[in-house]
Amino acid sequence: MIKKTLQIKGMHCASCASIITNKVSTLRGVNTINVNFATEKANISFDDAVVSIDQMNNGIEKLGYTFIDEIKEDKVKDLLAIKSKMQFVLPISLLVFFLMLWDIGAKLFYLIPNLPLPMSTLNIISMIFASIILFWIGQPFLQGVVRFVKYRVANMDTLIGIGTLVAYLYSMSITLFPTIRTILKLPETTYFDVTIVVIGFVILGKYLEARSKLRTGEAIEKLLDLQAKTALLWRNDREVEIPINEVKIGDILIVKPGSKIPVDGIIIEGFSSIDESMITGESIPVDKKIGNFVIGATINKQGNFKFKATKIGSDTMLAQIIKMVEDAQGSKAPIQAVADKISSVFVPTVLLIALSSLILWLSVGVYALGFSNALSYGIISFVGVLIIACPCALGLATPTAIIVGVGKGAENGILIRDAEALEKLSHIDTVVFDKTGTITKGEPEVTDIISLDNSFIEVDILRMSASIEKLSEHPLANAIVIKAEEQKINLEKVENFQSLEGIGVEGTINNKYITIHKPLHDDLKINKIKELQEQGKTVVIVEIDKKQIGIIALSDTIKEESKDAIAKLHERNIKVIMLTGDNHLAANYISKLTGIDVVIAEVLPQEKALKIKELQDSGAVVLMVGDGINDAPSLVQADVGIAMSTGTDVAIESAGMTLLGGDISKITKAIKLSKMTMKGIKQNLFWAFIFNIIGIPLAAGLFFPLFGWSLNPVFAGLAMAFSSVFVVSNSLRIKTKKL
């Protein structure tokens, strides 16, 4: 058995995944197949001695699908093709939709004038455009009808194809052959506008979906770009630059300041301060020495060192993160999937009702009305059923509400990637925050300056420390210098500066020997140092001539809006959890200041995604909020991921939403927006179905024997158009709501 992940071309809806799964799983030699609609990929386990990819394609190509190697250029070409079609059809659809509204208004209100063009002229123009749009833009929908007839598989393309084709053929018949209309006593009304408008809005939805899926793939590409392209190999007492894919386990590699670490390994010589923020999310670099583990793609900030490669290729931590992002991207069916799920039943049911009505009119109606009248009523009923069942309102129900909701979100600094995120957000009951860059600012700042000697005040301690640290490359040094600049302190001239590996820095100011170092074993007995460290702060000690004169504490500080944002989530009975790679002391201190319910600290990226899954398995609907590369797996594992716009590109690309300015107070607004939008969508879908439930029996003539009621295709078209107007108007109400 071998396992392969293949890209699928031709997927349009959730039912497509079911069709492919059912077809391929029946092939001899196929063990398992898992089709992912969101990523348009299939994970297949099969015996290649029994069945091949070509044989699988032979089974699904006739249904409109193909397994291909994933090539991004093909996706881009497909997106551009859909875009060009959308740009052609959408302006025409909007114009026709406007004319439909005008015509409806003229029929209902005498103050509204009739259309300025004669109906005969308008019919010819509409016929030309409908022909182009149906047979060019609507080709996939027509293919859906053919596949339905030949192979009895139906999706939304089938539904759209039947409705638009019947409307078109009926309209063509009475336009080109008016004698047929006269003989059969059919009304003059045509339905070219139905063909144009339905296809136009559906193509718009397909374009937005394709663009969203392409962007999802960019997250993986950005993760891949993080990897070093080359490595410095130590061989025969000299440095040799080699491609990253030539590194072998056990190789001795050299890393210089500012360079990316090529693979995972163990330091065997030297010392360094390494920026591991891409893994831990923490802004403060980690000091490393002989025997410590280093991670590929992290950045060496200070010092040269040698290390032995222990993990390469797909075994590195970065590769595992990439794999986790790919695995976590799943099909989280949006509410539009409701329409997809019923399409396989709805299509044959509507056809059966339409055919049944025609047969009943011709068989039973002949005795009461005569053949001519029965035939006229039968054709009118047949066409009326299919016209009123045309999924215009159904097609508009979700996209119009989403377009309005997304626009309102953008106005409020909430960027929404897709409808899936918006839907899921309305159901969340648990919010999981990353700490650094999300609840906190993500940059180390000086929080405390404490004098240990009455001869020196805080300004003296800061002046001497900043003067020395200005010459250091260590990232914490920059925070001390910035603090001095904020207080407009003039720095002193430093002589004999030296960096003490693993300890700190030293230098001479005015013939005084000054040392700034991290606490040593005996220093930890000082109560103030212990107190500061319990708050999760990083502490350095300042000495003059080996006498301790002060302490400087640094920490990542809380964003001003964090406490209020968490309080508002509690008002909505939402549980708040902090999931961080930082230590327990720092995490617990932050939680006390902000009111967070649960703290899960010292967690690596692999564990972050697993923790999210554990919450989901326990029944929680989880929103993950983060900003770092390390958050990418958990952002896509969560039901909804929200990234800070101040964070990394990978986090933003992996999330369903992005908050501009990194302002987490917008989370409650996003939740409210999602609830409003989903309420609008549900109302739209309800009324779209109600129009069909009421209109189809009426159009079929069910009430004619009892009350003499029937639905002429003219009114079927009006009802269909009114349902669309109702849906659009209901969606627009979202714009008037306050977040």
Side-chain angles (χ1 to χ4, degrees):
M1 287 288 175
I2 65 170
K3 292 183 179 180
K4 271 189 174 290
T5 299
L6 298 172
Q7 191 74 19
I8 305 170
K9 192 170 185 177
M11 290 187 69
H12 303 299
C13 63
S15 59
C16 294
S18 177
I19 291 169
I20 295 167
T21 301
N22 292 337
K23 185 65 179 178
V24 176
S25 61
T26 60
L27 295 176
R28 182 170 168 268
V30 175
N31 184 28
T32 60
I33 175 171
N34 179 24
V35 178
N36 188 322
F37 169 54
T39 58
E40 296 182 347
K41 291 180 181 178
N43 294 317
I44 310 174
S45 173
F46 63 99
D47 186 347
D48 59 343
V50 178
V51 65
S52 66
I53 301 298
D54 287 339
Q55 289 173 312
M56 295 180 201
N57 272 332
N58 290 337
I60 64 172
E61 279 178 347
K62 61 186 179 183
L63 306 180
Y65 314 108
T66 311
F67 290 135
I68 58 173
D69 289 331
E70 184 179 4
I71 302 172
K72 185 184 175 186
E73 287 71 19
D74 288 345
K75 285 187 174 184
V76 173
K77 287 178 183 177
D78 290 343
L79 180 64
L80 292 176
I82 296 173
K83 184 178 181 180
S84 65
K85 291 180 179 180
M86 183 268 296
Q87 289 173 332
F88 173 81
V89 72
L90 191 59
I92 299 171
S93 299
L94 292 174
L95 175 61
V96 170
F97 190 64
F98 171 73
L99 294 176
M100 286 173 63
L101 298 182
W102 188 342
D103 190 45
I104 293 169
K107 287 181 172 67
L108 296 177
F109 307 102
Y110 71 92
L111 292 176
I112 298 177
N114 290 323
L115 291 171
L117 288 174
M119 188 57 67
S120 58
T121 304
L122 195 60
N123 277 345
I124 297 299
I125 296 172
S126 298
M127 181 179 68
I128 293 170
F129 280 118
S131 300
I132 296 170
I133 289 169
L134 179 63
F135 293 104
W136 175 40
I137 308 293
Q139 194 175 73
F141 310 133
L142 297 180
Q143 291 170 347
V145 177
V146 173
R147 287 191 292 269
F148 173 64
V149 174
K150 290 180 68 175
Y151 307 112
R152 296 182 299 279
V153 292
N155 55 22
M156 281 301 292
D157 283 357
T158 311
L159 192 65
I160 295 160
I162 291 176
T164 54
L165 183 61
V166 169
Y168 175 81
L169 292 177
Y170 173 81
S171 302
M172 284 290 288
S173 299
I174 65 173
T175 300
L176 298 180
F177 307 102
T179 52
I180 295 177
R181 179 179 57 79
T182 304
I183 293 171
L184 299 178
K185 299 179 182 179
L186 299 174
E188 298 180 7
T189 306
T190 61
Y191 302 101
F192 293 120
D193 48 6
V194 171
T195 300
I196 294 168
V197 172
V198 170
I199 291 176
F201 278 101
V202 170
I203 288 295
L204 173 62
K206 285 182 177 290
Y207 167 71
L208 296 174
E209 177 186 356
R211 188 178 65 174
S212 173
K213 288 182 178 178
L214 184 63
R215 288 181 176 176
T216 300
E218 290 175 0
I220 302 297
E221 289 189 2
K222 284 185 168 63
L223 282 170
L224 290 169
D225 287 342
L226 290 172
Q227 191 176 44
K229 304 298 185 290
T230 61
L232 279 179
L233 177 66
W234 184 251
R235 179 186 293 164
N236 299 326
D237 294 331
R238 64 188 184 92
E239 299 174 7
V240 180
E241 187 172 7
I242 62 171
I244 189 73
N245 57 8
E246 292 184 10
V247 175
K248 297 180 177 60
I249 292 177
D251 281 348
I252 305 302
L253 304 174
I254 299 173
V255 183
K256 297 182 177 181
S259 300
K260 287 183 179 179
I261 297 171
V263 295
D264 297 358
I266 303 292
I267 294 179
I268 61 171
E269 180 182 316
F271 175 90
S272 182
S273 177
I274 296 175
D275 180 358
E276 293 187 342
S277 58
M278 60 152 285
I279 297 297
T280 64
E282 301 310 310
S283 57
I284 297 175
V286 180
D287 291 334
K288 298 281 186 175
K289 59 184 179 180
I290 294 173
N292 288 159
F293 183 70
V294 292
I295 302 167
T298 56
I299 300 172
N300 180 26
K301 302 293 286 186
Q302 182 185 33
N304 289 353
F305 66 90
K306 293 179 183 177
F307 76 100
K308 179 187 288 186
T310 57
K311 292 182 180 179
I312 60 173
S314 60
D315 292 329
T316 65
M317 188 173 291
L318 177 62
Q320 290 173 7
I321 291 174
I322 293 170
K323 182 67 166 60
M324 290 174 68
V325 172
E326 289 178 325
D327 291 344
Q329 287 175 333
S331 180
K332 304 172 184 178
I335 198 167
Q336 183 64 38
V338 173
D340 292 336
K341 288 176 182 177
I342 67 164
S343 64
S344 59
V345 176
F346 186 66
V347 174
T349 301
V350 169
L351 282 172
L352 182 62
I353 293 171
L355 287 169
S356 298
S357 65
L358 176 60
I359 292 169
L360 285 170
W361 278 111
L362 292 177
S363 57
V364 179
V366 166
Y367 296 104
L369 303 172
F371 178 77
S372 180
N373 286 333
L375 177 62
S376 178
Y377 275 112
I379 292 175
I380 287 172
S381 294
F382 179 78
V383 175
V385 167
L386 291 174
I387 292 298
I388 202 166
C390 186
C392 188
L394 196 61
L396 291 170
T398 299
T400 52
I402 293 298
I403 288 169
V404 174
V406 168
K408 190 170 184 66
E411 291 173 3
N412 289 271
I414 304 164
L415 303 184
I416 301 165
R417 174 180 294 278
D418 52 38
E420 294 177 15
L422 206 57
E423 176 187 353
K424 291 284 187 178
L425 189 61
S426 65
H427 302 299
I428 65 103
D429 53 32
T430 304
V431 175
V432 178
F433 284 104
D434 172 49
K435 181 178 77 70
T436 306
T438 305
I439 294 175
T440 65
K441 294 179 180 178
E443 297 177 356
E445 295 181 4
V446 174
T447 57
D448 304 87
I449 302 174
I450 300 167
S451 174
L452 300 177
D453 188 323
N454 294 332
S455 303
F456 298 93
I457 60 175
E458 292 180 7
V459 174
D460 297 327
I461 296 168
L462 183 57
R463 179 186 294 109
M464 286 183 285
S465 301
S467 299
I468 297 282
E469 296 286 17
K470 191 173 179 65
L471 302 177
S472 173
E473 297 176 355
H474 200 285
L476 289 180
N478 189 51
I480 295 174
V481 174
I482 289 173
K483 185 69 172 180
E485 289 174 350
E486 288 175 354
Q487 296 188 12
K488 298 180 180 180
I489 295 174
N490 294 322
L491 302 185
E492 304 279 358
K493 181 181 178 182
V494 177
E495 297 176 342
N496 304 319
F497 172 82
Q498 187 175 349
S499 177
L500 306 173
E501 286 191 359
I503 299 174
V505 291
E506 65 180 10
T508 304
I509 298 178
N510 297 327
N511 296 321
K512 293 180 179 178
Y513 173 65
I514 299 170
T515 308
I516 303 169
H517 62 84
K518 64 182 182 182
L520 303 177
H521 184 267
D522 290 340
D523 299 325
L524 297 177
K525 297 176 182 178
I526 301 174
N527 289 333
K528 195 61 183 177
I529 292 177
K530 185 178 179 182
E531 180 184 329
L532 291 168
Q533 288 182 329
E534 286 175 351
Q535 296 174 11
K537 296 179 180 180
T538 300
V539 178
V540 295
I541 298 173
V542 183
E543 295 183 353
I544 293 183
D545 295 330
K546 298 186 178 181
K547 179 183 179 182
Q548 295 176 344
I549 65 162
I551 299 170
I552 297 178
L554 303 96
S555 178
D556 189 5
T557 55
I558 297 170
K559 291 180 179 178
E560 291 78 5
E561 68 271 13
S562 292
K563 187 174 182 180
D564 183 56
I566 291 167
K568 287 181 178 178
L569 289 171
H570 284 149
E571 289 174 6
R572 289 180 171 270
N573 296 317
I574 293 174
K575 186 177 182 180
V576 181
I577 298 172
M578 184 164 68
L579 188 62
T580 178
D582 205 354
N583 63 71
H584 285 282
L585 292 175
N588 288 329
Y589 180 68
I590 295 295
S591 72
K592 289 177 183 177
L593 294 178
T594 55
I596 289 170
D597 301 315
V598 178
V599 173
I600 306 174
E602 298 180 11
V603 183
L604 290 174
Q606 303 96 311
E607 296 168 336
K608 276 193 173 186
L610 289 173
K611 293 293 183 184
I612 296 290
K613 190 173 187 306
E614 286 175 10
L615 290 169
Q616 292 170 321
D617 291 342
S618 69
V621 184
V622 182
L623 164 64
M624 173 69 193
V625 187
D627 75 322
I629 292 166
N630 63 299
D631 298 319
S634 48
L635 284 170
V636 292
Q637 174 64 49
D639 296 280
V640 183
I642 292 185
M644 307 290 103
S645 66
T646 51
T648 64
D649 288 344
V650 173
I652 292 170
E653 292 294 341
S654 300
M657 297 185 184
T658 301
L659 302 183
L660 293 180
D663 184 356
I664 63 171
S665 65
K666 293 173 183 171
I667 291 174
T668 50
K669 289 185 177 181
I671 293 171
K672 185 175 181 180
L673 175 64
S674 73
K675 289 183 180 295
M676 291 191 312
T677 305
M678 293 314 301
K679 183 179 179 181
I681 290 173
K682 289 174 182 177
Q683 291 171 342
N684 289 348
L685 288 172
F686 172 78
W687 287 108
F689 285 121
I690 285 295
F691 278 111
N692 281 327
I693 291 169
I694 296 173
I696 289 175
L698 185 60
L702 184 65
F703 303 111
F704 187 83
L706 299 174
F707 308 107
W709 297 347
S710 64
L711 188 64
N712 189 289
V714 172
F715 298 104
L718 287 173
M720 187 277 296
F722 177 73
S723 67
S724 300
V725 172
F726 179 88
V727 163
V728 173
S729 300
N730 189 51
S731 296
L732 290 172
R733 289 193 312 119
I734 299 171
K735 292 184 71 173
T736 65
K737 303 290 185 179
K738 184 179 179 181
L739 293 182

